[in-house]
Amino acid sequence: MNPRIAPRLKEPGDDRGVTLLETAIVIPLLLMLAIGLAEVGFLVIDQMAVANAAREGARVGAAAGPYNDITTMIDADDLILRSVELALCHLENGRAERVLIYAADAN
């Protein structure tokens, strides 16, 4: 067999360019995945803060009942709003735009 015509065998150090190319493709994908997971984590933290604020508002509303203090002009709705505001002070990446308070009656 003629050595000029025979296929050349790959030497062990020849794949450095391929490794660099694979790294250049994989690193941005892994970086996007990591940033996406961090964003989902921030979303979950904010969702837990809002759920805690709603729970706290419901607890205060149930405890206040038809509370109405004439001397300070504070009613149950004000107490609920203050408790929700205090619970939402830990909201990191968002903001509460509105709070809806529904009155529960016998009907």
Side-chain angles (χ1 to χ4, degrees):
M1 192 190 259
N2 190 351
R4 293 181 183 169
I5 299 175
R8 198 181 92 159
L9 294 176
K10 227 171 97 170
E11 295 178 15
D14 272 354
D15 59 352
R16 285 191 325 209
V18 174
T19 304
L20 183 65
L21 180 66
E22 289 173 352
T23 304
I25 291 172
V26 170
I27 284 182
L29 294 174
L30 289 176
L31 190 61
M32 286 190 325
L33 181 67
I35 291 173
L37 286 173
E39 288 292 325
V40 168
F42 293 145
L43 176 73
V44 169
I45 288 171
D46 283 349
Q47 182 181 8
M48 288 172 44
V50 169
N52 185 35
R55 188 178 309 114
E56 185 67 20
R59 185 189 66 78
V60 169
Y67 178 79
N68 194 356
D69 188 4
I70 303 290
T71 59
T72 59
M73 302 301 290
I74 295 176
D75 60 350
D77 291 346
D78 290 331
L79 291 174
I80 293 170
L81 287 175
R82 286 180 185 180
S83 68
V84 169
E85 182 182 11
L86 285 174
L88 284 179
C89 71
H90 300 293
L91 193 63
E92 296 284 333
N93 303 304
R95 62 187 174 114
E97 294 194 12
R98 64 182 169 169
V99 176
L100 300 176
I101 301 173
Y102 293 101
D105 54 2
N107 297 328

